[in-house]
Amino acid sequence: MFKFSSYLFVFSLLFSVDYESEIQPIFNANCGNCHLGNSSGGVNVSDYQSTIDSDIIIPGDASSSSLYDRITRDNSEAGDMPPGNAELSQAQIDLIALWIDEGALEEESN
């Protein structure tokens, strides 16, 4: 039986992740209280350029990106994002990681 991440891997072989339609909505729904308008901690994810300029992503290397580190921490760990009891789904985390590993591009590569 395949796990969701297996489907995501197969999907990634056929299609790349689109920032505007897939990643930005995750940020809007989960990061907006702190990192859209007022840029808490110097991190602004209100649009692609602001996200890249925040230096939280190492294109091509999700595991070394501070964004990935923060969204994969347990809720009980200091610095987990989103803070408190909120958390991203594993599918959202996997999609963000895939986007970063693909080079954190603004638009899908064809």
Side-chain angles (χ1 to χ4, degrees):
M1 177 176 272
F2 285 109
K3 291 184 177 183
F4 179 78
S5 58
S6 298
Y7 290 117
L8 196 57
F9 173 75
V10 171
F11 181 81
S12 72
L13 294 175
L14 302 173
F15 305 97
S16 60
V17 179
D18 180 67
Y19 177 84
E20 195 63 37
S21 67
E22 296 178 276
I23 301 302
Q24 189 62 52
I26 296 171
F27 293 159
N28 290 346
N30 297 282
C31 311
N33 290 337
C34 300
H35 299 291
L36 290 182
N38 62 9
S39 304
S40 181
V43 175
N44 182 341
V45 295
S46 61
D47 57 49
Y48 177 79
Q49 195 59 52
S50 297
T51 301
I52 295 301
D53 290 347
S54 291
D55 293 326
I56 57 172
I57 293 167
I58 298 174
D61 190 0
S63 63
S64 295
S65 298
S66 63
L67 173 68
Y68 183 76
D69 170 54
R70 295 298 188 107
I71 65 174
T72 57
R73 290 183 187 183
D74 288 334
N75 279 347
S76 61
E77 286 185 66
D80 76 295
M81 293 292 146
N85 290 327
E87 62 183 54
L88 300 180
S89 70
Q90 189 60 52
Q92 291 170 319
I93 291 169
D94 290 345
L95 190 62
I96 291 169
L98 180 59
W99 171 69
I100 294 170
D101 284 339
E102 289 178 347
L105 302 173
E106 184 171 10
E107 297 179 2
E108 284 183 89
S109 60
N110 295 327

